[in-house]
Amino acid sequence: MRNNKVQQKYDAFVDYFSQHLPVAETELKYKDPYQLLVAVILSAQCTDKRVNMTTPALFQRFPTAKDMAESTVEEIYTYIKSISYPNNKAKNLLGMAQTLVRDFNGVVPNNLEDLQKLPGVGRKTANVMMAVAFDQPAMPVDTHVFRVSNRIGLTKNSKTVLETEKTLVAHLPQHVIAKAHHWLILHGRYVCMARKPKCTECGITGICDFYQKKQKKEQ
């Protein structure tokens, strides 16, 4: 049975962001599922801004998975060397492209199981693809989602990324799950930052556990 207070918090969260951020999308620039997959692999522990500076030349050289599959780790590296962990990501991109061509006819699969068969694609990346490329009710949990959902109190008992994902999916209306992922990321990126959250600029302090505790301490 669901906790009514917890569900009320979720309802207030959805109401606020539905009104104040009705359009919430990834900040990664892409044109098709293949480009998005490449960008998401590159974005691990790297800013979207840096990825968006890197991908135009990469996509021009490798417009399809087949083009990338026929390349080498060394060549791919030259295009992504300004990204964090370029050696490892170059290996993953080549392996991903070769697996796509060999096993999926060059087409990015649209299910979680097959996506996770691709080198460099874990559950979070697969969930990003499901939510963003295929508009499915998936909840990718990155550091922002994990931190912000815990701070607000949406997932205060969740100790792991998977627990967080399952808790959020269980309480959010299915039609907003994918969008809520972006709400949490964007809120974490621009308002609820890790070190210095901008509580004075936040519109959901009324439902935020972190803010309520902070207020009590200051009284």
Side-chain angles (χ1 to χ4, degrees), residues 5-212:
K5 281 189 177 178
V6 172
Q7 195 55 52
Q8 284 170 9
K9 190 188 286 279
Y10 273 89
D11 294 344
F13 169 82
V14 172
D15 287 345
Y16 175 82
F17 282 102
S18 294
Q19 288 180 48
H20 293 87
L21 198 60
V23 178
E25 301 170 335
T26 180
E27 294 184 316
L28 292 170
K29 293 176 182 174
Y30 69 99
K31 292 180 180 176
D32 54 42
Y34 157 71
Q35 286 194 357
L36 178 63
L37 182 54
V38 170
V40 175
I41 289 172
L42 290 175
S43 73
Q45 295 175 284
C46 186
T47 64
D48 288 359
K49 185 178 179 181
R50 169 58 60 186
V51 173
N52 290 336
M53 290 166 66
T54 304
T55 48
L58 185 69
F59 293 150
Q60 188 173 9
R61 170 63 185 88
F62 307 115
T64 68
K66 185 174 183 293
D67 294 311
M68 188 172 280
E70 292 170 353
S71 183
T72 63
V73 170
E74 291 74 22
E75 185 187 10
I76 295 169
Y77 172 87
T78 64
Y79 287 90
I80 66 167
K81 58 188 176 184
S82 65
I83 296 266
S84 59
Y85 307 105
N87 287 302
N88 198 40
K89 288 177 182 178
K91 288 175 191 171
N92 283 336
L93 287 178
L94 181 62
M96 176 274 291
Q98 290 175 339
T99 305
L100 271 186
V101 171
R102 185 184 69 237
D103 298 343
F104 300 101
N105 201 29
V107 178
V108 177
N110 61 357
N111 66 84
L112 211 60
E113 186 182 349
D114 284 340
L115 281 164
Q116 289 181 90
K117 292 175 183 175
L118 303 171
V121 179
R123 186 177 181 87
K124 187 198 83 173
T125 298
N127 270 325
V128 171
M129 295 303 297
M130 294 300 291
V132 180
F134 305 117
D135 198 26
Q136 295 300 306
M139 174 55 70
V141 178
D142 69 354
T143 53
H144 293 305
V145 174
F146 189 81
R147 178 182 73 255
V148 174
S149 61
N150 185 58
R151 270 186 181 167
I152 296 168
L154 298 175
T155 59
K156 57 186 170 184
N157 295 318
S158 299
K159 302 289 189 292
T160 66
V161 167
L162 187 57
E163 271 186 73
T164 297
E165 178 191 329
K166 287 182 176 178
T167 302
L168 290 168
V169 168
H171 288 87
L172 288 164
Q174 195 172 47
H175 70 281
V176 301
I177 288 172
K179 189 181 283 188
H181 154 68
H182 295 302
W183 287 338
L184 288 163
I185 284 182
L186 294 170
H187 193 62
R189 193 172 282 168
Y190 299 111
V191 180
C192 193
M193 281 97 89
R195 292 185 182 176
K196 289 187 178 179
K198 299 177 181 176
C199 295
T200 55
E201 296 178 25
C202 179
I204 56 169
T205 52
I207 62 164
C208 178
D209 288 358
F210 175 83
Y211 182 75
Q212 306 302 332

